[in-house]
Amino acid sequence: MSSENALFTPAPAAAPARPKPRLTSLSHGGGCGCKIAPGVLSGILKGTTAMPMPKELLVGIETADDAAVYQLNDEQALIATTDFFMPIVDDPYDFGRIAATNAISDVYAMGGTPIMALALVGMPISVLSAETIGKILDGGASVCRAANIPIAGGHTIDSVEPIYGLVAMGLMHPDRVKRNASARVGDRLILGKPLGVGVLSAALKKDKLDAAGYAEMMRVTTQLNTPGPALAALDGVHAMTDVTGFALAGHALEMARGAACTAQLDWQNVPFLTGVRELAQQGCVTGASGRNWAAYGHEVSLPAGFSAVEQALLTDPQTSGGLLVSCAPSAVDKVMAIFKEHGFADAADIGEMAAFNGSTSLALR
């Protein structure tokens, strides 16, 4: 392996020990809350030059989907994606686990099976010890082992803030690709994981998250979205995405816009992690929540009396969030059964796709 593609090699044990600062203190944001705000990102992309796309590229950037998909032959399509961010937790091993799970999720969200990964590593090597950086990499490697894929290489840089993630690749049949833009009027919307990771991460930074809350956060952020391929095999499943930094509202909007529909959410049916509402009421919300609302709030219709806390939960950035599935009503039982078989006990039917009402792409009821 060339030095360009080599992963970080820990220094000898004799190297002088460095202090161990809180990982979250070294970054201005954490997890998928680090994403550039949707409105800002849209402005940046408008200024880029469009490129010609080959016919083999089944999924590109046109609908802000989870990954690119390139058809190799009649039986195989390659899925390629990348995701990386700054620490959302202070434990280096846990940080690595969360980041790797989040990156691989985009392969599952397209309906594919991961085959390998490359590591993306940016670390302040004058601040963090070789031991700490090694634990981050070990955490990521443990998730890749669970997904039955190798980390086949990567790239490292000396960075001001700690950054870790993966390039993830997968395979699937070209006919089973599940885009985020192929929902249909009348589809039900199924969410695989409960919400609230952004709130819990904000509470952690403020030292307001207890051990039980941290365990909940780790449980959901390190659970691989393995139902993806089985869901993609169902004829009644029309569209999929995963809920990450743009929150439930943002990713439901992407799905609705792509299909020229209005996503209608039954807010009382949306699952949340334990204690999230109480923590949000105490002010444990991320700055990304407000940025999300500023970017797409004009497209959302809220019911009367919808509180500021509920709005913050609707726009709460998720890190390694759950799959959002748009499926025919006749497929709901099968979709729910697949989620349960893979250990997703919190999966819930949270709404439907309706005909576009001419003004809003997302409506809560």
Side-chain angles (χ1 to χ4, degrees):
M1 184 183 295
S2 70
S3 60
E4 177 73 11
N5 198 43
L7 296 183
F8 178 86
T9 302
R18 296 191 179 109
K20 296 182 179 180
R22 290 184 64 174
L23 285 180
T24 54
S25 72
L26 300 177
S27 59
H28 71 279
C32 286
C34 296
K35 281 188 175 183
I36 295 175
V40 176
L41 179 60
S42 177
I44 293 171
L45 294 178
K46 283 181 181 177
T48 60
T49 302
M51 297 177 61
M53 297 297 174
K55 62 181 177 57
E56 293 85 1
L57 187 65
L58 304 181
V59 182
I61 64 172
E62 58 277 357
T63 60
D65 219 323
D66 298 296
V69 182
Y70 190 94
Q71 184 167 350
L72 300 175
N73 51 54
D74 290 343
E75 300 294 323
Q76 291 179 310
L78 175 69
I79 304 168
T81 183
T82 185
D83 219 316
F84 53 89
F85 47 63
M86 291 165 281
I88 188 174
V89 294
D90 293 312
D91 184 281
Y93 187 78
D94 287 347
F95 170 40
R97 292 170 64 205
I98 294 169
T101 306
N102 180 74
I104 297 170
S105 179
D106 285 339
V107 174
Y108 292 126
M110 302 305 299
T113 299
I115 56 170
M116 73 172 182
L118 306 174
L120 301 173
V121 185
M123 294 290 156
I125 58 174
S126 64
V127 177
L128 293 179
S129 68
E131 177 187 13
T132 295
I133 299 172
K135 286 179 179 178
I136 294 171
L137 302 188
D138 284 345
S142 73
V143 168
C144 289
R145 286 193 296 271
N148 295 313
I149 62 172
I151 296 180
H155 188 66
T156 62
I157 62 168
D158 185 358
S159 163
V160 175
E161 295 178 295
I163 298 169
Y164 178 69
L166 300 175
V167 174
M169 283 159 280
L171 289 173
M172 68 180 307
H173 194 285
D175 294 341
R176 290 185 175 177
V177 174
K178 298 302 177 184
R179 303 186 59 164
N180 67 351
S182 51
R184 302 178 187 177
V185 172
D187 278 0
R188 300 301 302 177
L189 295 173
I190 313 297
L191 179 63
K193 289 184 183 182
L195 304 178
V197 172
V199 170
L200 296 186
S201 69
L204 179 67
K205 272 202 163 186
K206 294 182 177 183
D207 291 321
K208 291 185 177 181
L209 188 66
D210 60 19
Y214 186 81
E216 272 278 270
M217 182 178 173
M218 291 305 304
R219 176 183 69 83
V220 72
T221 57
T222 59
Q223 186 177 24
L224 288 163
N225 278 319
T226 53
L231 292 169
L234 294 178
D235 290 337
V237 171
H238 300 140
M240 282 200 301
T241 190
D242 59 350
V243 178
T244 54
F246 298 155
L248 175 61
H251 294 286
L253 274 167
E254 288 177 342
M255 189 175 277
R257 291 189 203 111
C261 293
T262 293
Q264 296 182 337
L265 300 185
D266 297 318
W267 188 240
Q268 71 278 7
N269 293 340
V270 176
F272 287 92
L273 293 164
T274 303
V276 162
R277 275 193 166 85
E278 292 77 9
L279 287 168
Q281 288 168 349
Q282 297 171 29
C284 294
V285 296
T286 69
S289 181
R291 293 192 295 273
N292 280 340
W293 181 256
Y296 54 62
H298 62 283
E299 296 183 73
V300 181
S301 173
L302 300 177
F306 202 74
S307 70
V309 168
E310 298 299 311
Q311 180 179 304
L313 295 176
L314 177 65
T315 57
D316 184 52
Q318 302 306 290
T319 298
S320 191
L323 297 176
L324 181 63
V325 180
S326 182
C327 67
S330 60
V332 169
D333 289 345
K334 290 181 180 178
V335 169
M336 294 296 289
I338 288 172
F339 272 121
K340 296 299 192 297
E341 287 168 8
H342 285 256
F344 289 74
D346 297 302
D349 183 335
I350 64 167
E352 65 180 341
M353 282 293 185
F356 181 58
N357 65 14
S359 59
T360 56
S361 295
L362 177 64
L364 273 68
R365 57 191 188 187

